């Protein structure tokens, strides 16, 4: 089938490559000429494991091209809208500028029978508004909503083998026909017995917001338990292991620590609250305010803990921060808890050196005032305290004796609860963590 993918960021670039891998003829469209040039050369514009290999593989088939010219999307059976919906400046709501612009640019090129498929995370009601605009421009085109659940770091796997496919469609013959077209696009995944939920447009949009709100709540729940553990001398890791054995609860997403960041969970729960307010249902989501507050407190607590181990002051202390990305296996620093902690400590008078295996360029752009080092060994040289802020596997594997030889003081604050306290203490380190005695 012929497919266009509008917006080639973390979501769209992977989606375009995956659609080509599934055998479709794909054109990826983006307004950013640099990104288009990078992708056209077969390179990934960001770090995502598996993406360079996938791009190389599909490039050789000639089925994937990238362009800044939306006219090249004309004639596609399906147009996927994959642009970003960041948080508005100074407000909780989602900024729909890019969605609106993408749809506006596509309208003049839409043909009869073509299907516009929204994948961006949007406030409920957006799909219906887009459907009305599409109906005006091309009455024989149909809008579906097909939210994306991919995780950065696992994006290729999640796109090729999703754990579910959700399709929101209008309850009309055209909606049914469009759903059949989209099901054909996903035929391989559907043949692998991937569950498919076909529903109305509103539910499909809500599914995505609800899923991210649930994940954020799960993380903040365990971080709230970490606060109680700290107040009682209990151990949040053991607690998570124990409650996680209950299949109804489950152990995944119960890792206590610095909390969630990134381009999705923080802004999505805020946009969800803002939309609920507009709909007169703000009470339903007022608990998300608490979820957000617990999450942001983790960052402050982390700085307090570092100050504690430095005998009450970080002024003039040398602090090494291991990790800049919002999570491992990503170079994404959007709302990164690691950088937020590094910046706070810098503002409070510490000399902060940040390192990360992949995210240094993005980190430098976001926080040019911090110092950066290429390796963990360079970052920790003469450090008064080391903070593990992003649990990259190479940081989890650090040897406490080897690292101990490089620092000025053996003080480790484990922001992700991933190190073995006994091993670090045995090597002479003062080990502290969020929610562990
Ligand atoms: C999240 C969702 O997991 C995806 O399903 C969704 O498609 C995506 O947002 C999106 O809306 O596009 P992602 O932002 O890539 O994916 O990252 P997650 O793996 O969800 O991690 C989010 C944050 O939570 C990270 O900062 C991570 O360190 C933190 N986290 C995660 C914890 O603090 N504890 C945990 O137990 C798990």
């Amino acid at each position: 089938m012929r497919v266009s993918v509008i917006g080639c960021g973390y979501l769209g670039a992977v989606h375009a490559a995956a659609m080509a891998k599934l055998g479709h003829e794909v054109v990826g469209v983006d307004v950013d000429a640099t990104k288009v040039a990078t992708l056209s050369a077969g390179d990934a514009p960001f770090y995502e494991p598996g993406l360079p290999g996938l791009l190389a593989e599909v490039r050789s088939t000639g089925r994937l091209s990238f362009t800044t010219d939306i006219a090249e999307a004309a004639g596609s059976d399906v147009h996927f809208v994959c642009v970003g919906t960041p948080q508005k400046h100074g407000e909780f709501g989602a900024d729909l500028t890019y969605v609106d612009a993408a749809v506006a640019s596509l309208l003049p090129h839409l043909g009869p029978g073509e299907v516009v498929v929204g994948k961006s995370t949007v406030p409920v009601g957006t799909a219906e508004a887009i459907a009305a605009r599409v109906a005006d421009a091309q009455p024989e085109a149909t809008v579906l909503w097909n939210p994306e659940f991919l995780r950065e770091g696992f994006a290729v796997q999640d796109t090729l083998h999703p754990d579910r496919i959700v399709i929101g469609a209008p309850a009309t013959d055209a909606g049914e026909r469009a759903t059949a077209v989209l099901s054909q696009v996903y035929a391989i995944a559907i043949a692998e017995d991937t569950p498919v939920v076909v529903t109305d447009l509103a539910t499909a949009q809500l599914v995505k917001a609800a899923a991210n709100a649930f994940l954020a709540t799960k993380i903040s729940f365990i971080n709230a338990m970490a606060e109680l553990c700290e107040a009682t001398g209990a151990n949040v890791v053991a607690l998570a292991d124990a409650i996680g054995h209950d299949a109804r609860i489950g152990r995944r997403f119960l890792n206590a620590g610095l909390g969630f960041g990134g381009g999705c969970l923080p802004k999505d729960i805020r946009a969800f609250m803002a939309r609920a307010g507009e709909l007169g249902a703000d009470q339903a989501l007022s608990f998300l305010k608490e979820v957000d507050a617990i999450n942001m407190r983790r960052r402050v607590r982390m700085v307090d803990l570092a100050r504690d181990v430095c005998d009450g002051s970080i002024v003039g202390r040398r602090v090494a921060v291991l990790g800049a990305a919002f999570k491992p296996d990503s170079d994404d620093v959007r709302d990164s808890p690691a950088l937020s902690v590094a910046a706070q400590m810098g503002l409070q008078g510490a000399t902060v050196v940040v390192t990360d295996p992949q995210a240094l360029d993005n980190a430098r752009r976001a926080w040019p005032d911090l110092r950066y080092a290429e390796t963990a060994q360079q970052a920790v040289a003469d450090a008064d305290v080391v903070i593990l802020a992003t649990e990259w596997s190479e940081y989890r594997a650090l040897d406490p004796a080897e690292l101990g030889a490089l620092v000025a003081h053996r003080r480790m604050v484990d922001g992700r609860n991933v190190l073995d306290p006994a091993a670090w203490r045995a090597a002479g380190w003062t080990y502290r963590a969020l929610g562990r005695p």
Side-chain angles (χ1 to χ4, degrees), residues 73-90:
S76 297
D77 302 294
V78 173
H79 304 274
F80 286 104
V81 177
C82 295
V83 293
T85 52
Q87 187 175 337
K88 279 186 196 163
H89 283 296

Side-chain angles (χ1 to χ4, degrees), residues 121 148-153 164 208 212 215 219 222-223 252-265 268 326-328 337 391 416:
T121 301
E148 180 55 60
F149 304 106
L150 69 79
R151 300 157 296 166
E152 288 177 27
R164 77 281 211 194
K208 175 60 190 270
N212 277 3
L215 294 171
I219 298 168
I222 200 63
N223 283 329
R252 295 175 72 190
F253 266 69
L254 279 185
N255 297 321
L258 252 182
F260 58 83
C264 301
L265 299 192
D268 285 352
F326 83 104
K327 69 172 193 181
E391 70 278 30
R416 294 293 178 180

